[in-house]
Amino acid sequence: MKKRFKVAAFFAIIYPMNILIFGHVCIDQNKSENSEYVYWGSPAMFMHKIFGEISNNSVAIATSYGHDYVEYLEGIDIHPPKPSHKKTLVYQNISKKGKRAQKALFRECSLPAVIDEKLKEKIKEADTIVFSPLLPNYDSGHIEEVVKY
């Protein structure tokens, strides 16, 4: 772990922070010979859960997602508050005889969050902004747009 992250994590424990996470959310579909499950995934969701449990942090995710993701959003501050697409990014992992095949489905529905007035306010209020994309569609222009506020 890099020293800068240790320091940021330390302060997140002591001092409540407003943390805004830009990144994809996804649904994980995992199947093997012995088991199968479908559940939420993505670093953005894991960070929301972890940082939300530390101290009194305020944590939000800025992303695009579909109606199929709403069931996973209890207790999650997400922007926009309503789905922006019909579907959500799905990572499908199928393991057979020790070999894994992975597919990313509905990538066209996983665009960076639209920066509207409400999101601009969240950006201005954030003490920390984290970028955690799963796909290579967060270009430098989008990141520059976020950090200028």
Side-chain angles (χ1 to χ4, degrees):
M1 187 179 333
K2 291 186 177 180
K3 187 175 185 177
R4 280 183 284 177
F5 180 76
K6 286 181 184 176
V7 171
F10 174 75
F11 283 112
I13 292 169
I14 296 174
Y15 303 106
M17 296 173 58
N18 287 326
I19 302 168
L20 181 57
I21 303 164
F22 281 84
H24 300 97
V25 294
C26 69
I27 297 172
D28 286 336
Q29 295 178 345
N30 296 296
K31 185 176 183 179
S32 70
E33 294 94 342
N34 302 316
S35 66
E36 182 175 339
Y37 75 90
V38 176
Y39 205 58
W40 62 263
S42 86
M45 285 289 284
F46 280 102
M47 283 188 277
H48 189 290
K49 298 279 186 182
I50 292 168
F51 285 131
E53 290 179 9
I54 298 172
S55 191
N56 290 316
N57 291 324
S58 173
V59 186
I61 299 173
T63 190
S64 58
Y65 61 99
H67 296 278
D68 53 350
Y69 207 74
V70 173
E71 68 181 282
Y72 304 115
L73 295 177
E74 185 175 332
I76 303 295
D77 182 0
I78 196 160
H79 185 85
K82 293 184 179 178
S84 49
H85 295 281
K86 289 183 180 180
K87 293 286 190 176
T88 303
L89 176 65
V90 172
Y91 275 102
Q92 190 177 69
N93 297 290
I94 301 172
S95 299
K96 280 187 179 176
K97 298 180 183 175
K99 293 187 178 185
R100 182 179 80 158
Q102 184 180 53
K103 293 180 184 176
L105 310 173
F106 311 115
R107 291 175 295 192
E108 68 280 2
C109 297
S110 296
L111 303 172
V114 174
I115 302 173
D116 58 16
E117 291 306 313
K118 188 171 181 180
L119 187 52
K120 287 178 187 176
E121 285 305 312
K122 283 186 175 284
I123 293 167
K124 290 175 188 176
E125 294 169 359
D127 299 309
T128 302
I129 295 175
V130 179
F131 292 91
S132 65
L134 291 169
L135 300 173
N137 61 357
Y138 272 75
D139 63 23
S140 60
H142 188 77
I143 294 169
E144 288 170 3
E145 178 77 10
V146 170
V147 299
K148 79 178 185 182
Y149 298 106

